[in-house]
Amino acid sequence: MKYILVTGGVISGIGKGIIASSIGTILKSCGLRVTAIKIDPYINIDAGTFSPYEHGEVFVLNDGGEVDLDLGNYERFLDISLYKDNNITTGKIYQHVINKERHGDYLGKTVQVVPHITDAVQEWVMNQAKVPVDDDRKEPQIYPTSLFQLGGTIGDIEGMPFVEAFRQFQFKAKRDNFCNIHVSLVPQPNATGEQKTKPTQNSVRALRGLGLSPDLIVCRSAKPIEMAVKEKISMFCHVEPEQVIFIHDVSSTYRVPILLEEQGIIKYFKQRLNLPIDDQPSDLLMKWKKMADRYERLLKVCSIALVGKYTKLSDCYASVFKALEHSALAINHKLDLMYIDSIDLERSTEVENPVKYHQAWQKLCKADGILVPGGFGIRGTEGKLQAISWARTKKKPFLGVCLGMQLAVVEFARNCLNWKDANSTEFDPDTKNPVVIDMPEHNPGDMGGTMRLGKRRTVFKTQNSVLRKLYGNEMFVEERHRHRYEVNPELICSFEEKGLKFVGHDMEGNRMEIIELENHPYFVGVQFHPEFSSRPMKPSPPYLGLLLAATGTLSAYLQRGCKLSPR
């Protein structure tokens, strides 16, 4: 087993997750099996109770784990399926150790950070590294793990136990099996225009002071870094020049594995970790290169309006953005994603800030398609309902995900069934027409980990379904869920009589999973989150359908048997 540790310095949010994912992609392209573990030093047990503004979206795994969005990067880049134990937090580790102490496993010893917490980290990492994550379920050989996403920098007090754990672990694993990659920032102040190496020097010094020496230093920068800067970092950070890798800002993250490969990272890993691989990249990396080249040559544009409540930070909808981007790339279009705060579409905004109100509606009106993603809470729901009504009446392609589907049902009930007070019991527990209700078994009082989570099967009720055709005419699909409310199954007949068809449900036939509106180019809602399963070379069918409808090519695509036209 080989181990690669990715640490970060200077600032958080520097791109450690993308670097780790890209390194994994390169190693996978060399024929190795790769898994990934993310270590977060916060005390939360998992990411499930975070506001999206804290750490971006909550990514959901097949087993129902609510984890950091970096695990989404790992899955998309490596095309693997991870587990909740692939996301380690301080909370999980301390809970594990405290439970062992209560059970009497430490036989009267004083339980301390060293050795008990650090040993627990090492044990967890070694055990989880052996868990198969590929479709054929074979044990992986090497894994990248990204340490310190929260705070994200060496020297954070909350991350110290993990650094100490890996300081010990490097000797346990032996030199040929352990490698440390340190990701740092090379800033370029506007005042001088000079690329500064001092932050990286200080960061590496701090890392060494804690007992870890970087084997590779990956320098992030806005612009390509000059050779003189590389030599300076090499000299002051005590590494060879070829151990300093530069990754500047690029047009798409698909380009990052290519930049790493061009700087000789395959050859370095082959020597440093004694890997049985060729120096040359395989077909998989060539596919990535072609995909990155094609992305940069796209000329036609498709605009999608994302109507949500967390629009100030793009990471809040990271998987949604990626799923749309994968689909746009598949049909040779550049994605123009317009974020619209749903509150800006509401009448109250027209009174308080008419300029913002009209700008939001202008964006919505000129979009080729409309997407309402998942979310929680009543804030902004009236604006989402307005956007859904616009999409339905103006025949604009529409996709509603999770809450987006539930609100599409509410909007249809109010405006087509004339149930004016129709609502979700999440927002109005006393409504006379509860078209969306809570699931009692998933609402026990505690917030964390109590929703209907993870991969569940959805069965198609009819052959005459656009989404079924997009999924390749399968009898059922398995997608990931994260919700506590569902469409009221007792009211289904009233909707179907008016043309809103529930074409997919769960195995028991009680929970409604997919809606489609008759006589509309593309009006689809799904209770699940298909964005979590989208991959760069395997776009998610509901998102692909939205992009095809938005570009006016859905009918032709379905007539061709769901095959894309030759590029």
Side-chain angles (χ1 to χ4, degrees):
M1 182 71 71
K2 308 289 183 180
Y3 302 92
I4 296 175
L5 172 67
V6 180
T7 56
V10 185
I11 60 170
S12 62
I14 201 170
K16 296 185 297 297
I18 297 296
I19 299 292
S21 303
S22 300
I23 289 167
T25 301
I26 290 170
L27 294 171
K28 189 168 184 176
S29 78
C30 295
L32 297 172
R33 294 181 178 275
V34 184
T35 185
I37 295 175
K38 173 74 194 298
I39 299 176
D40 287 301
Y42 45 65
I43 297 174
N44 303 61
I45 298 296
D46 59 31
T49 54
F50 280 141
S51 160
Y53 283 138
E54 289 286 315
H55 298 282
E57 75 170 5
V58 177
F59 191 81
V60 179
L61 303 172
N62 281 344
D63 65 356
E66 297 172 287
V67 296
D68 184 86
L69 60 81
D70 265 332
L71 274 80
N73 287 323
Y74 299 153
E75 287 204 346
R76 284 187 288 269
F77 271 73
L78 303 174
D79 194 15
I80 55 178
S81 296
L82 299 171
Y83 301 91
K84 57 187 172 187
D85 284 347
N86 286 77
N87 193 189
I88 303 174
T89 69
T90 295
K92 280 184 183 177
I93 292 293
Y94 273 77
Q95 186 181 58
H96 173 72
V97 170
I98 289 168
N99 288 342
K100 287 181 72 174
E101 185 273 331
R102 293 287 84 187
H103 193 253
D105 290 359
Y106 295 118
L107 301 175
K109 294 280 187 185
T110 303
V111 181
Q112 297 174 290
V113 173
V114 181
H116 301 101
I117 295 296
T118 52
D119 284 353
V121 172
Q122 295 173 66
E123 180 187 350
W124 194 308
V125 163
M126 285 191 290
N127 290 338
Q128 197 60 28
K130 297 174 186 174
V131 177
V133 292
D134 286 301
D135 290 339
D136 59 9
R137 321 313 292 168
K138 288 187 180 176
E139 185 178 311
Q141 292 170 296
I142 184 167
Y143 81 144
T145 177
S146 181
L147 185 59
F148 310 142
Q149 195 66 37
L150 175 65
T153 52
I154 284 294
D156 289 349
I157 191 168
E158 57 195 355
M160 290 299 185
F162 296 107
V163 179
E164 173 59 23
F166 281 102
R167 185 196 68 77
Q168 299 172 19
F169 184 72
Q170 65 185 332
F171 302 111
K172 190 179 292 186
K174 307 300 181 188
R175 177 172 166 75
D176 280 357
N177 299 323
F178 183 86
C179 176
N180 177 211
I181 298 171
H182 189 61
V183 185
S184 184
L185 176 72
V186 176
Q188 190 170 4
N190 290 331
T192 62
E194 182 185 1
Q195 292 170 329
K196 297 293 185 181
T197 65
K198 191 62 72 177
T200 298
Q201 294 176 42
N202 291 337
S203 180
V204 170
R205 187 183 300 116
L207 183 64
R208 281 215 169 87
L210 295 169
L212 287 169
S213 292
D215 297 286
L216 284 175
I217 300 173
V218 178
C219 298
R220 289 280 293 109
S221 61
K223 297 176 182 177
I225 294 178
E226 299 157 9
M227 187 54 67
V229 176
K230 180 173 185 172
E231 291 169 352
K232 189 174 181 181
I233 291 172
S234 166
M235 180 170 64
F236 285 102
C237 294
H238 197 62
V239 293
E240 295 285 346
E242 57 265 26
Q243 292 173 262
V244 182
I245 305 289
F246 295 152
I247 301 294
H248 60 273
D249 292 349
V250 287
S251 58
S252 81
T253 53
Y254 308 129
R255 182 63 64 188
V256 178
I258 312 304
L259 286 177
L260 288 168
E261 188 273 327
E262 286 172 351
Q263 296 179 66
I265 201 167
I266 295 177
K267 184 179 178 182
Y268 179 79
F269 278 134
K270 182 181 179 180
Q271 295 171 346
R272 173 66 182 77
L273 294 173
N274 196 23
L275 294 172
I277 57 177
D278 294 327
D279 289 347
Q280 298 303 314
S282 70
D283 292 343
L284 177 61
L285 209 57
M286 293 309 294
K287 285 180 182 176
W288 272 84
K289 189 175 189 312
K290 287 177 182 175
M291 184 169 62
D293 291 342
R294 192 157 55 85
Y295 181 90
E296 290 166 5
R297 289 198 302 265
L298 296 174
L299 297 175
K300 292 182 282 187
V301 177
C302 179
S303 60
I304 300 294
L306 188 155
V307 183
K309 61 189 283 190
Y310 307 113
T311 54
K312 293 182 178 67
L313 182 66
S314 60
D315 271 356
C316 295
Y317 299 110
S319 292
V320 170
F321 170 70
K322 288 298 178 185
L324 289 167
E325 190 178 62
H326 299 161
S327 298
L329 186 58
I331 62 171
N332 290 314
H333 278 68
K334 190 181 283 286
L335 175 69
D336 175 21
L337 185 58
M338 300 182 290
Y339 292 95
I340 300 175
D341 192 329
S342 54
I343 290 177
D344 294 345
L345 298 172
E346 296 180 1
R347 291 290 180 187
S348 58
T349 304
E350 184 181 20
V351 175
E352 296 166 9
N353 193 334
V355 173
K356 186 181 281 189
Y357 174 81
H358 289 294
Q359 285 174 342
W361 272 101
Q362 188 178 31
K363 274 187 187 178
L364 188 75
C365 292
K366 73 177 186 180
D368 298 316
I370 297 170
L371 170 69
V372 177
F376 297 91
I378 193 170
R379 183 176 66 84
T381 52
E382 288 304 318
K384 292 176 184 177
L385 289 166
Q386 294 280 346
I388 294 166
S389 182
W390 170 267
R392 181 180 58 79
T393 55
K394 302 299 180 183
K395 307 279 188 183
K396 283 277 187 184
F398 165 80
L399 175 62
V401 175
C402 196
L403 177 63
M405 168 188 154
Q406 295 172 5
L407 289 177
V409 173
V410 172
E411 189 277 332
F412 193 88
R414 289 182 183 180
N415 297 321
C416 296
L417 302 183
N418 209 31
W419 299 349
K420 295 303 180 185
D421 71 334
N423 214 331
S424 166
T425 56
E426 180 182 5
F427 313 130
D428 182 4
D430 301 320
T431 176
K432 292 178 182 176
N433 289 296
V435 295
V436 177
I437 57 175
D438 71 333
M439 298 178 287
E441 74 274 30
H442 294 287
N443 201 2
D446 286 344
M447 293 289 285
T450 57
M451 288 182 280
R452 185 168 178 249
L453 292 162
K455 187 163 77 170
R456 311 270 177 153
R457 182 169 291 188
T458 295
V459 180
F460 287 105
K461 287 201 306 186
T462 173
Q463 294 275 358
N464 187 27
S465 160
V466 172
L467 211 52
R468 180 170 184 168
K469 292 171 185 172
L470 287 167
Y471 272 106
N473 273 317
E474 299 286 345
M475 293 178 64
F476 62 86
V477 295
E478 292 182 326
E479 295 279 9
R480 301 175 186 183
H481 293 67
R482 185 178 186 245
H483 64 110
R484 190 173 274 120
Y485 294 82
E486 63 171 338
V487 175
N488 190 341
E490 295 178 5
L491 305 176
I492 300 309
C493 292
S494 301
F495 289 98
E496 296 204 320
E497 285 170 6
K498 291 287 187 176
L500 187 67
K501 302 295 184 183
F502 292 84
V503 299
H505 52 66
D506 70 348
M507 293 284 288
E508 289 74 35
N510 298 325
R511 296 209 157 110
M512 300 303 111
E513 295 278 0
I514 304 170
I515 61 167
E516 291 180 11
L517 182 62
E518 291 181 339
N519 304 315
H520 193 286
Y522 190 80
F523 191 95
V524 172
V526 291
Q527 184 59 72
F528 46 82
H529 288 266
E531 64 270 18
F532 294 143
S533 304
S534 184
R535 304 287 184 261
M537 298 176 200
K538 290 186 287 187
S540 166
Y543 285 91
L544 181 61
L546 176 65
L547 269 291
L548 287 164
T551 54
T553 55
L554 179 59
S555 297
Y557 177 77
L558 295 175
Q559 287 169 7
R560 285 195 303 270
C562 293
K563 292 179 181 176
L564 294 167
S565 57
R567 296 190 178 100

